[in-house]
Structure formats: structure tokens, C-alpha cells
Amino acid sequence: MITAQLNDTRLGAPVFESVSQDPKFSFYWHCHDFPAPLARWNYHPEYELHLIRHSQGHYFVGDYIGRFEPGNLVLVGPNIPHAWFSDPDDAQPLIKGRDVVLQFKGEWLEHMMELCPELNCLSTLIEDSAQGVEFKGDEAQRCAELLVAMGEQDNAGRLLTMLTILRSLSQCDYHTLAGRGYGLGVKGTASEQVDAVLRYVHDHFHEELRMSTLAARNGMTPSTFSRFFKHATGDTFVAFLRRIRIGHACRLLLEGRQSIADICFQVGYNNLSNFNRHFRELKGMTPRQYQQSTPRLVQKSL
């Protein structure tokens, strides 16, 4: 079972989050409760290191769906949709201080690596974060403790601790989460135009979307828009839209509330055979097999 907030994602796509970072600081550290306005299916151009301190539940990073518990530590790259939803607990409707989050801009880290070549040890980790990465082991636990401790440090202390954490994480055992083609590859430098396009695709993926229409909306020819989109996302428009739709269909299948045919049309397909074919290509199985082989997130009786 999963919190009722997840049900809202059946009706819409990830929400673009505007990270309120004070220009006087290099990064943004904060702690929040659950439920909270920030605890939603969202994306943003900043990197995010996310720690769960309390509760357990399901989390989503791109097209990945996993189970979390206290100590879950994940680095999410720019513009990868993500969310953590705790299992409901009637005895504890509000989970205080559930999340500790560190967000920073790609441009800042790139400048730091240019000024300090010693930080090039972070390159592989930053590249892998385009799929989202989860950290495991004793070193990850130590980094989680350092991340929490940042809340009591002064500004200079936080900076030193952050660099220590990033270096340690680059040497941790970790595994990538989302499919390789899901990442948006903008490396933290997304322009307002890229953000606007991504928001539009995320908000309208369930409709009949044509690349020519988006090109016209952005004052481009279809060929120019195609190159622009490929550069911004690392994928073609058609392939990216397909991943968004199939990823959303996976969540609906796990909820178990609707038939496969209804889900097909809800995520933007008008042909069930095309939906089944694309689903098999991306997931290696049919929608029915996927639904039967994976535990459901929400019971039908809810």
C-alpha cells in the first residue's frame, strides 16, 4: 500500500520544482516532513542528494520503481522525475523530518572541477547520476550521517562537509536506477526554453503530441527542434515521449485500478497493439506479465 498522494500522479505528470536557492550560497540544504508540498512527483535542473531518515515505502526515479527504508540515500541528476511515498500509518499521519535533501547546480560543480582538478574523481558519479544512483554499504551510512550533521554547521563547515560527502560517495558501492535512455543529459545547464519544453511534454504526454506542434510553439522548424530536443534530452522526441508514457503506464498497472485497455488510452495511445508492442520493447514483457510479476502498490479495495 502507498499513501493516497500517489493517486494524484495518475491524473498528471511530474511537477516542475523551482528550487529556491539563495544566490549567496553554493547549494541548498533542507529537511522536510511527510506529507509536505515538496514530497511529490517532481523534477528540476539541480542535482539532488536525497536521504530518508524515517519510514518505509516506494520511490520512483525516472522509470525505476523501488522500495525504500531508513538510510535510503540516492543522488538524482538534473531533470529526472523522482518521488518518495511513505506507506500510510494511521498512528503517525505526519512523519517529522523524514527527508534530508541537498541540491546544487551543475554549473557550480563544473566550475569547481575546473578550478580544482582534484575533484575530477567525481566525474563518473556525476555521469551515472543521469540515471539516478542509490548508495549502499558502510561508507554510504557514514555519508548519510554527515549529511544530517550539516544542519548544525556554519556555512563554511557545510561546504567542506559537502565536498567530503561527494568524494566519499564517488568511492561507494552504488547502482544506477532509471533506464539508460531515460536520462535528460542536460548536465545542469538547462535553459528556460528547455525547461518549458520538458514541462509541456510532462504535462501533455497523455494527449496527441506532435513534434511539429512543439516546434511551432517554440519558433523552430521541425528539423531544428529535433536537434534541439536531442541535445537537451539525449533522446529523440518520439523515443522520449514513449518512455514517459510507458513509465506512467507502469505505475497505473501496479495500482491495479484500471484495465490494460483503459491505461493504454489514458497514457496517450490510441492503439492497444502499439501500446503492447512498445511496452514489450522497453520492459521486455507484456503489460499483463509486468502486472502479474510485480507487487501492486495499492490494493484494489482502496
Side-chain angles (χ1 to χ4, degrees), residues 177-217:
L177 301 175
R180 182 169 294 277
Y182 195 94
L184 302 185
V186 294
K187 302 187 186 307
T189 58
S191 68
E192 291 184 4
Q193 189 172 30
V194 172
D195 292 336
V197 170
L198 293 178
R199 284 198 300 271
Y200 190 86
V201 174
H202 280 301
D203 290 345
H204 298 275
F205 71 87
H206 55 286
E207 302 173 5
E208 183 179 358
L209 281 184
R210 296 184 180 276
M211 189 176 69
S212 57
T213 303
L214 268 73
R217 284 177 56 89

Side-chain angles (χ1 to χ4, degrees), residues 23-71:
K24 295 183 294 183
F25 301 105
S26 304
F27 49 86
Y28 179 42
W29 182 99
H30 61 105
C31 179
H32 66 78
D33 307 330
F34 183 86
L38 293 174
R40 57 184 179 174
W41 177 235
N42 72 92
Y43 68 103
H44 44 73
E46 291 79 15
Y47 290 85
E48 176 173 311
L49 182 61
H50 194 116
L51 170 67
I52 294 290
R53 298 178 64 198
H54 311 292
S55 81
Q56 58 185 9
H58 287 88
Y59 74 108
F60 302 80
V61 177
D63 57 2
Y64 174 82
I65 301 174
R67 188 77 182 164
F68 72 80
E69 58 185 16

